[in-house]
Every structure is written in structure tokens, then in C-alpha cells.
Amino acid sequence: MDKRKMKYLPHKTIERLSQYRRALLLCQANGKTHIFSHEIATIQHITAVQVRRDIMLIGYTGTLRKGYNIADMISLIGKILDSEKVQNIAIIGMGNLGVAITKYFSGKRTKLEIAAAFDVNPVKIGKKYSGVECYHINQIIKIIKEKDISIGIITVPSTETIIIKNILVKSGIKGILNYTPKPVNVPDDVYLEEYDMTTSLEKVAFFVKMH
Amino acid sequence: MDKRKMKYLPHKTIERLSQYRRALLLCQANGKTHIFSHEIATIQHITAVQVRRDIMLIGYTGTLRKGYNIADMISLIGKILDSEKVQNIAIIGMGNLGVAITKYFSGKRTKLEIAAAFDVNPVKIGKKYSGVECYHINQIIKIIKEKDISIGIITVPSTETIIIKNILVKSGIKGILNYTPKPVNVPDDVYLEEYDMTTSLEKVAFFVKMH
DNA sequence: AATTTATTGTTAATTAATTAACAGCAAAAG
DNA sequence: CTTTTGCTGTTAATTAATTAACAATAAATT
Ligand SMILES: NC(=O)c1ccc[n+]([C@@H]2O[C@H](COP(=O)([O-])OP(=O)(O)OC[C@H]3O[C@@H](n4cnc5c(N)ncnc54)[C@H](O)[C@@H]3O)[C@@H](O)[C@H]2O)c1
Ligand SMILES: NC(=O)c1ccc[n+]([C@@H]2O[C@H](COP(=O)([O-])OP(=O)(O)OC[C@H]3O[C@@H](n4cnc5c(N)ncnc54)[C@H](O)[C@@H]3O)[C@@H](O)[C@H]2O)c1
């Protein structure tokens, strides 16, 4: 698939591709070789049209009455989502959430690797969390360069969010995933994704109340 | 504000209201009494138009050249988002993520309360996590009734997601926040919110690679 | 007192995302 | 061999969300 086109894939399609891939890997592990759009839709709890539309956007075509070749689709999604070389990630703030995330991601995806953790608490410095070494935050610029880290996950207390964001931007990081409730802004060449758990929970509570 | 209108607030507006409120509470704590739309916008890193549009949708009006009264806005957002009585929450799966979330939320928001935790691991049953008692999963229907729990947070291994979702729906829960990567579907009268961390990270990685 | 400035509130326009509609066709059924 | 069925791929329509435009006006400035 053409690189120029990929840039223009809708954000929501990118998200779904990530999910399709994991679903397809599961199907493949169960010995399936082909799959219909409506089967993917059922797994993901979305509509078959949406699945076909996403597949159209990435330029793949299935075979009529046989569906999509699972192996081919996995490989194509990989070509779209994955970088050729490993993308290294830093996680900043090894508290409850930071440790949980590190454990969750470490050694899972081959093309994404948590390469370093950072904290200020002396108890944590030098320790390894699921194989990831924790460094003092004042080492971060050096380590990011050394380990060619391009993505940062922020899990520090929200009072520290801006400081950490600034350090990350300064050290040339190109993507930030901010899990603190303090919104940040970044230069145009840095991609930012924020998730606020309190917001999600309050949203659920609102719609429950409204019933 | 009219209850009928509230139902039709856009989802994104609901999310931002939750965030405005927390920002406003901070401002209030700093002794501020009034705030302009562009100030809120700066804090949230969005546009002032969007802030004013959201405020318009909830039917509040500021005063020209003076801005919005912070206390009034906090109170109005409370009337919209909060239920009159406390909304009780159950969290299912007290692993890394479940424990982190429980710690994070417990005793924070007055109108939302984590009222019970559930697991299958005998080591965890009977223990308290940040003041929240952990029960065996086979007690869940009883406890949900007893404690009038209307919201469930799922943090079990993804192999268990569907089982837990079914139990929650069966026991009459009205809102589910699913943090496992296994998508679920629910009847119309249950509100569902899903968040998949891997998707977020792969999305960041994609846009970083595309640069 | 007249003019300028800064800000709100709202409508209109634009962009993004989803959903509907359907043509095309290979395989299955008759 | 002909018809029906079931699925793909794509265009068109719809809906949701954001952004632009600007009228109204209170306060500040001249
Ligand atoms: N725990 C959760 O489930 C949860 C959920 C949603 C959001 N959050 C947010 O995630 C963030 C972390 O939450 P947590 O529960 O893990 O908190 P935590 O207090 O357990 O962890 C924060 C960690 O950051 C470290 N830290 C502090 N200042 C630092 C700095 N300048 N540089 C590097 N490290 C620093 C601390 O030493 C600590 O280890 C918070 O902003 C919180 O609001 C947490
Ligand atoms: N840890 C993270 O940062 C993270 C991030 C994103 C998503 N997740 C997802 O969240 C879920 C939990 O992750 P985790 O890291 O906390 O895993 P974990 O293994 O530490 O915790 C899972 C817990 O669920 C319990 N459990 C298992 N079956 C159960 C059942 N039938 N009923 C009740 N409890 C049961 C286990 O005993 C365990 O305590 C997983 O689905 C994971 O994919 C975790």
C-alpha cells in the first residue's frame, strides 16, 4: 500500500486496524485462514460495512464468497502500522499505573519496546520492572538519545506533567501518551494522545443516570 | 438546566464538561472567581469557540467582559453530570490495573464511589484495597443488589471479559467501563465505554513513524 | 460623548465519521 | 444452463463534531 495514502487514513480507522489485527491473530491461532467482513464485525461489535470500508481504505481486497485471507491482512496491517525497526518507548513515573503498564506491555509487541523507565524516588532507581530498568529522571535526555527512544508514556503525578512533557519535547521525542489528567500541548511535529480515566468514568456515570 | 436537553448533549461535550469542572475547581482553589472562555481554552489546549459552544449547549451564560462565574459553572456542571445520590461502582479483577484504579479513585469524587471489588484469587478475597473490600466473584450478584451498584469496571484477564460482562448485565448493572482488550456488546439499556491501551500506543507509534 | 476594544452567544460552514444503498459477481442451488 | 444467494467494493447520504464568522454590547479609552 502506498505510503502517501496511509498518512490520510482516518484516525478511527487506524485504531480499528490495531484491533482487527489482534482479532485476526487470535483467529489465525485457532487455525482459521479466511474470514468474512461480518465475522470481524461480530467479534468487534461494529458493523460489517465499517469493516469493509476500513479494508477498502487500506487498499486490500478479499475474494468474493471466500472472504479475506487472514495471513495477508495481518501482514498488510503490519506494513501499515509497524515501523521497520523497533520503536523504543520510555515510561516516566513508576507508580501504580506506570508499573502496571510496563508489566502489561513488556515483551508483548515485537515492534514496540519499553526501553527505559524513569522516576525520582531513590527506592525505584536502579530497579528493574518486568525487565525494564528504571533510571533517575535527570538521566532522561542522555538515555533517550542512547536508546533511540521516540515515544514517551507519562504516568507521573499531574503536578509534574508539564515538566515531564517539556523534557520529553526537548529531548526530541516524537510521540507522547499522557495518562495524567493534566492536559498538555506539544509542537506540531510531536503526536499527542491523552486519556483521562476520570472523564471516562464520569461519562459512564452520566449516561447511567440519564438511563 | 432542562433534563430533556441534557440527554442530547454531544458525547464529546460531556467529556469536556468533566474536564472543565476539574480545571475550574483548581482555579477556584487558587482564589479566582471569574474566567474567560479563552482562559479555559488555554488550560485545556482547545479553542475558545469550542469552550463557548459547550457552555452554550448547557444553557449557561457569562457576563460580557467579565467572563464566567466559576462557582456557578462548577455547580451547573455538577447538576448535569452528577446524580443526586452517590453512584456505586464495582471493580472486577484486582490485578495490577484493578488495584491501581481502585487506589486512584477511592475517596476522590464524592458522587462516585467504588463500593466493592471482586476477584477469584483466594489470596485477594477478604482483603481491603484502599478501603475497598474484595469479594469472591460468586458473590457479585448478591453484593451488587445489596450495595445498589450501577456501574462496573472490568479489569480481568481478557479471556474472562465476556463471562464477567454477562454476569454484570444479568445482575442489572447499567454502565460498564471495559479496560480489557476484548470488545464486548451490551443490551441497549446498558451504557458501555471501552478503552484499549494497546490501540492508543499503536496509534501513537503509527503517527510517529509517519511523522 | 464618541470611539475603540474585548468578549460573549449563536448561526452558518466545514470537516470527520458512520451508515445506507446498491451494483457486480462468483459460487451454490435448482 | 439458469436462477438465486451471499458477499465484496464503492459511491452517496446522513450524522456528529469542529471551526469560522459575526452581531451584539459592556467596559475602557480617547
Ligand atoms: N493509578 C491509576 O489507576 C491512575 C488512573 C488514571 C490516571 N492516573 C494518573 O497517572 C498518574 C500516576 O498515577 P499513579 O497512581 O501511578 O501515581 P503514583 O503516585 O503511584 O506514581 C507516580 C510516580 O511518579 C514518580 N514521580 C514523581 N515526580 C516525578 C518526576 N518529576 N519525574 C519522574 N517521576 C516522578 C513518583 O515517584 C511515583 O513513583 C497520575 O497523574 C494519575 O492522576 C492514575
Ligand atoms: N496492566 C495494565 O496496565 C493494563 C493495561 C491495559 C489493559 N489491561 C487489561 O486489563 C486487564 C487486567 O490487567 P492486569 O495487568 O491487571 O492483569 P492481572 O493478571 O494482574 O489481573 C487480573 C486479575 O483478575 C483476576 N481474575 C481472573 N479471572 C477472574 C474472574 N473470573 N473473576 C474475577 N477476577 C478474576 C485475577 O485473579 C487477577 O487478580 C487485562 O485484560 C489486561 O489486558 C491492563
Side-chain angles (χ1 to χ4, degrees):
Chain A
M1 135 145 254
D2 185 342
K3 262 220 168 189
R4 278 161 307 167
K5 272 192 187 158
M6 283 201 243
K7 280 212 184 193
Y8 304 114
L9 290 172
H11 284 216
K12 296 282 179 168
T13 295
I14 296 296
E15 291 176 12
R16 282 188 298 263
L17 288 176
S18 160
Q19 288 162 4
Y20 296 160
R21 172 163 62 179
R22 274 172 286 149
L24 291 169
L25 285 165
L26 275 181
C27 292
Q28 195 177 47
N30 294 334
K32 242 172 120 69
T33 63
H34 289 77
I35 194 164
F36 296 126
S37 61
H38 67 258
E39 290 178 296
I40 300 178
T42 301
I43 298 170
Q44 297 303 122
H45 303 297
I46 58 180
T47 65
V49 194
Q50 186 147 73
V51 172
R52 291 205 302 277
R53 210 167 198 304
D54 288 333
I55 292 174
M56 184 194 87
L57 289 173
I58 64 173
Y60 183 63
T61 55
T63 44
L64 210 50
R65 288 228 153 204
K66 218 176 155 193
Y68 305 95
N69 179 300
I70 292 178
D72 288 355
M73 251 186 93
I74 290 171
S75 147
L76 177 59
I77 295 176
K79 285 208 185 77
I80 294 168
L81 294 187
D82 297 340
S83 155
E84 291 198 14
K85 56 190 179 68
V86 170
Q87 288 176 287
N88 290 304
I89 301 167
I91 183 157
I92 303 94
M94 290 306 275
N96 297 287
L97 191 60
V99 170
I101 292 176
T102 304
K103 195 165 175 186
Y104 179 61
F105 280 122
S106 60
K108 200 170 262 185
R109 301 270 314 102
T110 42
K111 292 293 186 177
L112 295 178
E113 187 171 325
I114 303 197
F118 298 90
D119 208 296
V120 284
N121 184 338
V123 174
K124 310 195 173 184
I125 316 289
K127 265 188 78 177
K128 282 203 171 188
Y129 293 87
S130 315
V132 178
E133 179 148 1
C134 183
Y135 301 90
H136 192 279
I137 187 72
N138 67 22
Q139 302 279 89
I140 193 168
I141 297 197
K142 186 172 130 264
I143 305 265
I144 282 178
K145 291 243 151 55
E146 269 175 29
K147 300 203 179 233
D148 187 28
I149 290 170
S150 58
I151 295 169
I153 302 177
I154 309 184
T155 51
V156 294
S158 62
T159 49
E160 310 297 310
T161 304
I162 306 288
I163 301 171
I164 299 300
K165 182 269 288 179
N166 286 335
I167 297 176
L168 287 175
V169 168
K170 198 174 136 203
S171 61
I173 257 195
K174 287 293 172 263
I176 292 178
L177 188 43
N178 177 22
Y179 280 118
T180 80
K182 173 87 196 163
V184 304
N185 80 333
V186 293
D188 277 354
D189 65 334
V190 176
Y191 182 83
L192 172 69
E193 182 86 8
E194 304 195 294
Y195 178 74
D196 182 341
M197 238 176 233
T198 306
T199 297
S200 282
L201 189 59
E202 292 194 343
K203 191 179 171 193
V204 173
F206 171 79
F207 286 108
V208 164
K209 178 187 67 146
M210 284 300 163
H211 162 196
Chain B
M1 131 146 258
D2 184 343
K3 263 219 170 192
R4 279 161 306 168
K5 272 192 188 161
M6 281 200 242
K7 281 212 184 190
Y8 304 113
L9 290 172
H11 284 213
K12 296 281 180 173
T13 296
I14 297 296
E15 291 176 12
R16 283 189 296 264
L17 288 176
S18 160
Q19 287 161 4
Y20 296 160
R21 172 161 66 178
R22 274 171 287 148
L24 291 169
L25 285 165
L26 274 181
C27 293
Q28 194 178 46
N30 294 335
K32 242 172 120 71
T33 63
H34 288 76
I35 193 164
F36 296 126
S37 62
H38 66 260
E39 291 178 295
I40 300 178
T42 302
I43 298 170
Q44 299 301 124
H45 302 299
I46 58 179
T47 66
V49 194
Q50 186 147 71
V51 172
R52 292 204 302 279
R53 209 164 198 304
D54 287 333
I55 292 174
M56 185 194 87
L57 289 174
I58 64 173
Y60 182 63
T61 56
T63 44
L64 210 50
R65 288 227 152 205
K66 219 177 155 190
Y68 304 94
N69 180 299
I70 291 178
D72 288 356
M73 250 186 94
I74 291 172
S75 146
L76 177 59
I77 294 176
K79 285 208 185 77
I80 294 168
L81 294 188
D82 297 339
S83 154
E84 292 199 15
K85 56 188 178 70
V86 170
Q87 287 177 287
N88 290 304
I89 301 166
I91 183 157
I92 302 92
M94 290 306 274
N96 296 288
L97 191 60
V99 170
I101 291 176
T102 304
K103 195 166 175 186
Y104 179 64
F105 280 124
S106 60
K108 199 170 259 184
R109 301 271 313 103
T110 43
K111 292 293 186 177
L112 294 178
E113 187 171 325
I114 302 197
F118 297 90
D119 209 295
V120 282
N121 185 338
V123 174
K124 309 195 173 183
I125 316 290
K127 264 189 78 177
K128 282 204 171 190
Y129 294 87
S130 314
V132 179
E133 180 149 3
C134 182
Y135 301 91
H136 192 278
I137 187 71
N138 67 21
Q139 301 279 89
I140 192 167
I141 297 196
K142 186 173 129 260
I143 306 268
I144 282 178
K145 291 242 150 57
E146 268 176 31
K147 300 204 179 233
D148 188 27
I149 290 170
S150 59
I151 295 169
I153 303 177
I154 309 183
T155 52
V156 293
S158 62
T159 48
E160 310 297 309
T161 305
I162 305 288
I163 300 171
I164 299 299
K165 181 269 289 180
N166 287 335
I167 297 176
L168 288 175
V169 168
K170 197 175 137 203
S171 62
I173 259 196
K174 287 291 171 263
I176 292 178
L177 188 42
N178 176 22
Y179 281 119
T180 79
K182 173 89 198 162
V184 304
N185 80 332
V186 293
D188 277 355
D189 65 334
V190 176
Y191 182 82
L192 172 69
E193 183 86 7
E194 304 195 294
Y195 178 73
D196 181 342
M197 239 176 230
T198 306
T199 297
S200 282
L201 189 59
E202 291 194 343
K203 191 179 171 191
V204 172
F206 171 80
F207 286 107
V208 163
K209 178 188 69 148
M210 284 299 162
H211 165 189

